[in-house]
Amino acid sequence: MSTPASLSPPIPAPTPLTAFFWESLTNRQLSILRCQNCGNYVHYPRPICNVCLSEDLAPEVVSGKGTLYAHTWATQAFHPYYVDKLPYCLAVVELPEQPGLRITSNIIDTPREQVHGGMALEVVFHEISPGLTLPLFVAEGFAPVTA
Ligand SMILES: [Zn+2]
């Protein structure tokens, strides 16, 4: 069924507003825009702070910790790349840097019966295609040790 092209994951198209995010991941760091006027984190990236309306936003590296806010198990692939990855866990992860600061990701390498709301998570970085690294999450304490 799959052709080489169909085995490529969907590739994001960075914009001037989002390029920092993808570049940070390439360096194995999770960065979130932060308002330099009031300190509010802004994610997904937007040009204006939703608290004070400042346009003075800059990326800051965050801890990579998180808690599971919501999740579901995908059992049907929306793209051919994901066919052999089913079922996989779609997750909304709340970052500890700010209440309500959430990122959409996947939970990997965690048995399904261990995935539950509020569980402690930590980010891992997976280069799924040349030049494309994604921030995925595992149960805290289970991130592989990298040299
Ligand atoms: Zn602000």
Side-chain angles (χ1 to χ4, degrees), residues 5-147:
S6 70
L7 290 177
S8 296
I11 304 296
T15 67
L17 184 61
T18 63
F20 81 89
F21 182 80
W22 302 107
E23 291 167 9
S24 177
L25 294 172
T26 299
N27 296 321
R28 306 181 75 76
Q29 294 180 318
L30 180 60
S31 293
I32 302 290
L33 276 186
R34 190 172 195 189
C35 177
Q36 302 301 294
N37 183 51
C38 76
N40 180 53
Y41 286 95
V42 176
H43 187 77
Y44 55 92
R46 283 161 283 181
I48 298 173
C49 174
N50 59 315
V51 170
C52 75
L53 304 183
S54 170
E55 297 178 19
D56 186 10
L57 299 158
E60 289 191 11
V61 176
V62 294
S63 66
K65 304 293 185 187
T67 56
L68 183 56
Y69 178 78
H71 75 286
T72 190
W73 289 88
T75 57
Q76 295 187 11
F78 74 94
H79 184 281
Y81 175 77
Y82 294 98
V83 168
D84 64 356
K85 295 162 182 65
L86 296 171
Y88 59 88
C89 187
L90 294 162
V92 178
V93 178
E94 184 153 321
L95 306 180
E97 280 75 11
Q98 175 177 293
L101 179 64
R102 300 179 189 128
I103 182 170
T104 303
S105 182
N106 298 120
I107 295 176
I108 62 166
D109 298 338
T110 306
R112 187 170 180 156
E113 62 274 11
Q114 292 182 16
V115 175
H116 59 89
M119 71 184 293
L121 301 168
E122 61 185 317
V123 74
V124 292
F125 300 95
H126 276 221
E127 185 176 18
I128 64 167
S129 179
L132 175 59
T133 299
L134 296 181
L136 307 177
F137 284 83
V138 298
E140 187 174 41
F142 287 88
V145 176
T146 56

